[in-house]
PDB file of all heavy atoms in Angstrom:
ATOM      1  N   ASN A   1       5.298  12.413   7.484  1.00 96.00           N
ATOM      2  CA  ASN A   1       5.432  11.000   7.873  1.00 96.00           C
ATOM      3  C   ASN A   1       5.273  10.072   6.675  1.00 96.00           C
ATOM      4  O   ASN A   1       4.441   9.169   6.708  1.00 96.00           O
ATOM      5  CB  ASN A   1       4.397  10.673   8.939  1.00 96.00           C
ATOM      6  CG  ASN A   1       4.505   9.299   9.469  1.00 96.00           C
ATOM      7  OD1 ASN A   1       5.597   8.706   9.484  1.00 96.00           O
ATOM      8  ND2 ASN A   1       3.387   8.710   9.916  1.00 96.00           N
ATOM      9  N   PRO A   2       6.012  10.267   5.536  1.00 96.00           N
ATOM     10  CA  PRO A   2       5.882   9.315   4.487  1.00 96.00           C
ATOM     11  C   PRO A   2       6.319   7.960   4.968  1.00 96.00           C
ATOM     12  O   PRO A   2       7.276   7.849   5.704  1.00 96.00           O
ATOM     13  CB  PRO A   2       6.785   9.881   3.377  1.00 96.00           C
ATOM     14  CG  PRO A   2       7.815  10.663   4.125  1.00 96.00           C
ATOM     15  CD  PRO A   2       7.099  11.232   5.335  1.00 96.00           C
ATOM     16  N   THR A   3       5.603   6.910   4.559  1.00 96.00           N
ATOM     17  CA  THR A   3       5.875   5.562   5.022  1.00 96.00           C
ATOM     18  C   THR A   3       5.822   4.618   3.853  1.00 96.00           C
ATOM     19  O   THR A   3       4.808   4.556   3.131  1.00 96.00           O
ATOM     20  CB  THR A   3       4.851   5.162   6.078  1.00 96.00           C
ATOM     21  OG1 THR A   3       4.869   6.160   7.139  1.00 96.00           O
ATOM     22  CG2 THR A   3       5.156   3.802   6.665  1.00 96.00           C
ATOM     23  N   SER A   4       6.853   3.828   3.687  1.00 96.00           N
ATOM     24  CA  SER A   4       6.933   2.884   2.579  1.00 96.00           C
ATOM     25  C   SER A   4       6.332   1.554   2.953  1.00 96.00           C
ATOM     26  O   SER A   4       6.552   1.053   4.066  1.00 96.00           O
ATOM     27  CB  SER A   4       8.392   2.689   2.151  1.00 96.00           C
ATOM     28  OG  SER A   4       8.478   1.658   1.184  1.00 96.00           O
ATOM     29  N   SER A   5       5.594   0.964   2.014  1.00 97.00           N
ATOM     30  CA  SER A   5       5.091  -0.373   2.197  1.00 97.00           C
ATOM     31  C   SER A   5       5.801  -1.350   1.263  1.00 97.00           C
ATOM     32  O   SER A   5       5.311  -2.447   1.012  1.00 97.00           O
ATOM     33  CB  SER A   5       3.558  -0.425   1.964  1.00 97.00           C
ATOM     34  OG  SER A   5       3.286   0.017   0.617  1.00 97.00           O
ATOM     35  N   GLU A   6       6.941  -0.943   0.747  1.00 97.00           N
ATOM     36  CA  GLU A   6       7.687  -1.758  -0.236  1.00 97.00           C
ATOM     37  C   GLU A   6       7.996  -3.146   0.314  1.00 97.00           C
ATOM     38  O   GLU A   6       7.787  -4.180  -0.337  1.00 97.00           O
ATOM     39  CB  GLU A   6       8.960  -1.059  -0.646  1.00 97.00           C
ATOM     40  CG  GLU A   6       9.742  -1.817  -1.682  1.00 97.00           C
ATOM     41  CD  GLU A   6      11.010  -1.109  -2.113  1.00 97.00           C
ATOM     42  OE1 GLU A   6      11.216   0.079  -1.756  1.00 97.00           O
ATOM     43  OE2 GLU A   6      11.802  -1.739  -2.839  1.00 97.00           O
ATOM     44  N   LEU A   7       8.476  -3.227   1.541  1.00 96.00           N
ATOM     45  CA  LEU A   7       8.799  -4.493   2.129  1.00 96.00           C
ATOM     46  C   LEU A   7       7.517  -5.399   2.312  1.00 96.00           C
ATOM     47  O   LEU A   7       7.545  -6.593   1.997  1.00 96.00           O
ATOM     48  CB  LEU A   7       9.463  -4.351   3.510  1.00 96.00           C
ATOM     49  CG  LEU A   7       9.823  -5.642   4.247  1.00 96.00           C
ATOM     50  CD1 LEU A   7      10.855  -6.463   3.410  1.00 96.00           C
ATOM     51  CD2 LEU A   7      10.369  -5.301   5.616  1.00 96.00           C
ATOM     52  N   THR A   8       6.464  -4.796   2.755  1.00 97.00           N
ATOM     53  CA  THR A   8       5.202  -5.529   2.906  1.00 97.00           C
ATOM     54  C   THR A   8       4.741  -6.073   1.568  1.00 97.00           C
ATOM     55  O   THR A   8       4.315  -7.235   1.471  1.00 97.00           O
ATOM     56  CB  THR A   8       4.103  -4.628   3.501  1.00 97.00           C
ATOM     57  OG1 THR A   8       4.576  -4.114   4.765  1.00 97.00           O
ATOM     58  CG2 THR A   8       2.784  -5.334   3.689  1.00 97.00           C
ATOM     59  N   ARG A   9       4.830  -5.255   0.547  1.00 97.00           N
ATOM     60  CA  ARG A   9       4.437  -5.699  -0.793  1.00 97.00           C
ATOM     61  C   ARG A   9       5.280  -6.857  -1.251  1.00 97.00           C
ATOM     62  O   ARG A   9       4.732  -7.824  -1.850  1.00 97.00           O
ATOM     63  CB  ARG A   9       4.509  -4.520  -1.766  1.00 97.00           C
ATOM     64  CG  ARG A   9       3.471  -3.424  -1.474  1.00 97.00           C
ATOM     65  CD  ARG A   9       3.766  -2.172  -2.306  1.00 97.00           C
ATOM     66  NE  ARG A   9       2.960  -1.055  -1.868  1.00 97.00           N
ATOM     67  CZ  ARG A   9       2.045  -0.469  -2.601  1.00 97.00           C
ATOM     68  NH1 ARG A   9       1.774  -0.926  -3.830  1.00 97.00           N
ATOM     69  NH2 ARG A   9       1.368   0.547  -2.146  1.00 97.00           N
ATOM     70  N   LYS A  10       6.576  -6.781  -1.067  1.00 97.00           N
ATOM     71  CA  LYS A  10       7.449  -7.875  -1.488  1.00 97.00           C
ATOM     72  C   LYS A  10       7.256  -9.137  -0.701  1.00 97.00           C
ATOM     73  O   LYS A  10       7.147 -10.219  -1.275  1.00 97.00           O
ATOM     74  CB  LYS A  10       8.928  -7.400  -1.372  1.00 97.00           C
ATOM     75  CG  LYS A  10       9.368  -6.454  -2.435  1.00 97.00           C
ATOM     76  CD  LYS A  10      10.805  -6.070  -2.266  1.00 97.00           C
ATOM     77  CE  LYS A  10      11.230  -5.058  -3.327  1.00 97.00           C
ATOM     78  NZ  LYS A  10      12.633  -4.585  -3.095  1.00 97.00           N
ATOM     79  N   LEU A  11       7.209  -8.997   0.633  1.00 95.00           N
ATOM     80  CA  LEU A  11       7.107 -10.184   1.483  1.00 95.00           C
ATOM     81  C   LEU A  11       5.769 -10.930   1.288  1.00 95.00           C
ATOM     82  O   LEU A  11       5.716 -12.162   1.310  1.00 95.00           O
ATOM     83  CB  LEU A  11       7.205  -9.821   2.974  1.00 95.00           C
ATOM     84  CG  LEU A  11       8.564  -9.602   3.530  1.00 95.00           C
ATOM     85  CD1 LEU A  11       8.479  -9.090   4.976  1.00 95.00           C
ATOM     86  CD2 LEU A  11       9.412 -10.837   3.446  1.00 95.00           C
ATOM     87  N   LEU A  12       4.675 -10.153   1.126  1.00 97.00           N
ATOM     88  CA  LEU A  12       3.340 -10.774   1.087  1.00 97.00           C
ATOM     89  C   LEU A  12       2.743 -10.828  -0.312  1.00 97.00           C
ATOM     90  O   LEU A  12       1.640 -11.354  -0.431  1.00 97.00           O
ATOM     91  CB  LEU A  12       2.435 -10.015   2.072  1.00 97.00           C
ATOM     92  CG  LEU A  12       2.888  -9.944   3.493  1.00 97.00           C
ATOM     93  CD1 LEU A  12       1.874  -9.121   4.340  1.00 97.00           C
ATOM     94  CD2 LEU A  12       3.095 -11.296   4.119  1.00 97.00           C
ATOM     95  N   GLY A  13       3.332 -10.200  -1.293  1.00 97.00           N
ATOM     96  CA  GLY A  13       2.728 -10.101  -2.606  1.00 97.00           C
ATOM     97  C   GLY A  13       1.465  -9.257  -2.571  1.00 97.00           C
ATOM     98  O   GLY A  13       0.561  -9.441  -3.344  1.00 97.00           O
ATOM     99  N   TRP A  14       1.461  -8.299  -1.607  1.00 98.00           N
ATOM    100  CA  TRP A  14       0.257  -7.415  -1.408  1.00 98.00           C
ATOM    101  C   TRP A  14       0.329  -6.197  -2.277  1.00 98.00           C
ATOM    102  O   TRP A  14       1.382  -5.569  -2.457  1.00 98.00           O
ATOM    103  CB  TRP A  14       0.247  -7.016   0.054  1.00 98.00           C
ATOM    104  CG  TRP A  14      -0.840  -6.042   0.394  1.00 98.00           C
ATOM    105  CD1 TRP A  14      -2.187  -6.287   0.486  1.00 98.00           C
ATOM    106  CD2 TRP A  14      -0.672  -4.669   0.800  1.00 98.00           C
ATOM    107  NE1 TRP A  14      -2.850  -5.141   0.884  1.00 98.00           N
ATOM    108  CE2 TRP A  14      -1.929  -4.155   1.080  1.00 98.00           C
ATOM    109  CE3 TRP A  14       0.450  -3.853   0.927  1.00 98.00           C
ATOM    110  CZ2 TRP A  14      -2.121  -2.816   1.495  1.00 98.00           C
ATOM    111  CZ3 TRP A  14       0.260  -2.552   1.295  1.00 98.00           C
ATOM    112  CH2 TRP A  14      -1.019  -2.039   1.576  1.00 98.00           C
ATOM    113  N   ASP A  15      -0.793  -5.895  -2.862  1.00 97.00           N
ATOM    114  CA  ASP A  15      -0.944  -4.651  -3.639  1.00 97.00           C
ATOM    115  C   ASP A  15      -2.303  -4.054  -3.340  1.00 97.00           C
ATOM    116  O   ASP A  15      -3.333  -4.740  -3.517  1.00 97.00           O
ATOM    117  CB  ASP A  15      -0.791  -4.935  -5.131  1.00 97.00           C
ATOM    118  CG  ASP A  15      -0.490  -3.677  -5.954  1.00 97.00           C
ATOM    119  OD1 ASP A  15       0.033  -2.721  -5.382  1.00 97.00           O
ATOM    120  OD2 ASP A  15      -0.872  -3.685  -7.147  1.00 97.00           O
ATOM    121  N   PRO A  16      -2.329  -2.829  -2.785  1.00 97.00           N
ATOM    122  CA  PRO A  16      -3.640  -2.221  -2.476  1.00 97.00           C
ATOM    123  C   PRO A  16      -4.544  -2.228  -3.719  1.00 97.00           C
ATOM    124  O   PRO A  16      -4.092  -1.869  -4.813  1.00 97.00           O
ATOM    125  CB  PRO A  16      -3.296  -0.811  -2.064  1.00 97.00           C
ATOM    126  CG  PRO A  16      -1.874  -0.887  -1.664  1.00 97.00           C
ATOM    127  CD  PRO A  16      -1.231  -1.945  -2.544  1.00 97.00           C
ATOM    128  N   ALA A  17      -5.818  -2.586  -3.534  1.00 97.00           N
ATOM    129  CA  ALA A  17      -6.757  -2.672  -4.640  1.00 97.00           C
ATOM    130  C   ALA A  17      -7.883  -1.700  -4.564  1.00 97.00           C
ATOM    131  O   ALA A  17      -8.685  -1.576  -5.448  1.00 97.00           O
ATOM    132  CB  ALA A  17      -7.306  -4.127  -4.693  1.00 97.00           C
ATOM    133  N   HIS A  18      -8.000  -0.982  -3.423  1.00 98.00           N
ATOM    134  CA  HIS A  18      -9.151  -0.118  -3.195  1.00 98.00           C
ATOM    135  C   HIS A  18      -8.742   1.335  -3.343  1.00 98.00           C
ATOM    136  O   HIS A  18      -7.537   1.648  -3.397  1.00 98.00           O
ATOM    137  CB  HIS A  18      -9.763  -0.399  -1.794  1.00 98.00           C
ATOM    138  CG  HIS A  18     -10.333  -1.776  -1.756  1.00 98.00           C
ATOM    139  ND1 HIS A  18      -9.590  -2.886  -1.422  1.00 98.00           N
ATOM    140  CD2 HIS A  18     -11.575  -2.216  -2.013  1.00 98.00           C
ATOM    141  CE1 HIS A  18     -10.323  -3.964  -1.457  1.00 98.00           C
ATOM    142  NE2 HIS A  18     -11.566  -3.572  -1.831  1.00 98.00           N
ATOM    143  N   PRO A  19      -9.684   2.281  -3.386  1.00 97.00           N
ATOM    144  CA  PRO A  19      -9.376   3.690  -3.624  1.00 97.00           C
ATOM    145  C   PRO A  19      -8.407   4.259  -2.584  1.00 97.00           C
ATOM    146  O   PRO A  19      -8.454   3.895  -1.423  1.00 97.00           O
ATOM    147  CB  PRO A  19     -10.712   4.403  -3.522  1.00 97.00           C
ATOM    148  CG  PRO A  19     -11.705   3.363  -3.727  1.00 97.00           C
ATOM    149  CD  PRO A  19     -11.134   2.062  -3.235  1.00 97.00           C
ATOM    150  N   GLY A  20      -7.570   5.187  -3.059  1.00 98.00           N
ATOM    151  CA  GLY A  20      -6.700   5.920  -2.167  1.00 98.00           C
ATOM    152  C   GLY A  20      -7.560   6.937  -1.364  1.00 98.00           C
ATOM    153  O   GLY A  20      -8.736   7.119  -1.618  1.00 98.00           O
ATOM    154  N   LEU A  21      -6.923   7.642  -0.467  1.00 98.00           N
ATOM    155  CA  LEU A  21      -7.614   8.562   0.443  1.00 98.00           C
ATOM    156  C   LEU A  21      -8.361   9.647  -0.292  1.00 98.00           C
ATOM    157  O   LEU A  21      -9.527   9.876  -0.076  1.00 98.00           O
ATOM    158  CB  LEU A  21      -6.634   9.166   1.438  1.00 98.00           C
ATOM    159  CG  LEU A  21      -7.237  10.235   2.387  1.00 98.00           C
ATOM    160  CD1 LEU A  21      -8.372   9.639   3.204  1.00 98.00           C
ATOM    161  CD2 LEU A  21      -6.150  10.801   3.273  1.00 98.00           C
ATOM    162  N   ILE A  22      -7.664  10.343  -1.209  1.00 98.00           N
ATOM    163  CA  ILE A  22      -8.350  11.473  -1.918  1.00 98.00           C
ATOM    164  C   ILE A  22      -9.504  10.983  -2.756  1.00 98.00           C
ATOM    165  O   ILE A  22     -10.598  11.608  -2.720  1.00 98.00           O
ATOM    166  CB  ILE A  22      -7.307  12.244  -2.774  1.00 98.00           C
ATOM    167  CG1 ILE A  22      -6.182  12.795  -1.880  1.00 98.00           C
ATOM    168  CG2 ILE A  22      -7.972  13.354  -3.537  1.00 98.00           C
ATOM    169  CD1 ILE A  22      -6.611  13.721  -0.762  1.00 98.00           C
ATOM    170  N   GLU A  23      -9.328   9.860  -3.432  1.00 98.00           N
ATOM    171  CA  GLU A  23     -10.437   9.278  -4.214  1.00 98.00           C
ATOM    172  C   GLU A  23     -11.593   8.843  -3.316  1.00 98.00           C
ATOM    173  O   GLU A  23     -12.767   9.078  -3.639  1.00 98.00           O
ATOM    174  CB  GLU A  23      -9.937   8.094  -5.042  1.00 98.00           C
ATOM    175  CG  GLU A  23     -11.028   7.487  -5.921  1.00 98.00           C
ATOM    176  CD  GLU A  23     -10.500   6.266  -6.692  1.00 98.00           C
ATOM    177  OE1 GLU A  23      -9.288   6.014  -6.723  1.00 98.00           O
ATOM    178  OE2 GLU A  23     -11.349   5.607  -7.318  1.00 98.00           O
ATOM    179  N   ASP A  24     -11.290   8.306  -2.158  1.00 98.00           N
ATOM    180  CA  ASP A  24     -12.323   7.866  -1.219  1.00 98.00           C
ATOM    181  C   ASP A  24     -13.084   9.087  -0.677  1.00 98.00           C
ATOM    182  O   ASP A  24     -14.293   9.044  -0.572  1.00 98.00           O
ATOM    183  CB  ASP A  24     -11.670   7.060  -0.094  1.00 98.00           C
ATOM    184  CG  ASP A  24     -12.660   6.201   0.666  1.00 98.00           C
ATOM    185  OD1 ASP A  24     -13.827   5.972   0.168  1.00 98.00           O
ATOM    186  OD2 ASP A  24     -12.315   5.772   1.775  1.00 98.00           O
TER     187      ASP A  24
END
């Protein structure tokens, strides 16, 4: 189930800032 957040990032200027799952 790969899921892209490209549209969300573009529309909202959003970029995840916290650790990814494996790091967490």
Side-chain angles (χ1 to χ4, degrees):
N1 185 29
T3 304
S4 173
S5 61
E6 183 179 351
L7 178 62
T8 302
R9 292 170 191 246
K10 285 180 183 176
L11 280 176
L12 303 179
W14 174 71
D15 196 26
H18 294 87
L21 176 60
I22 300 303
E23 184 181 349
D24 198 17

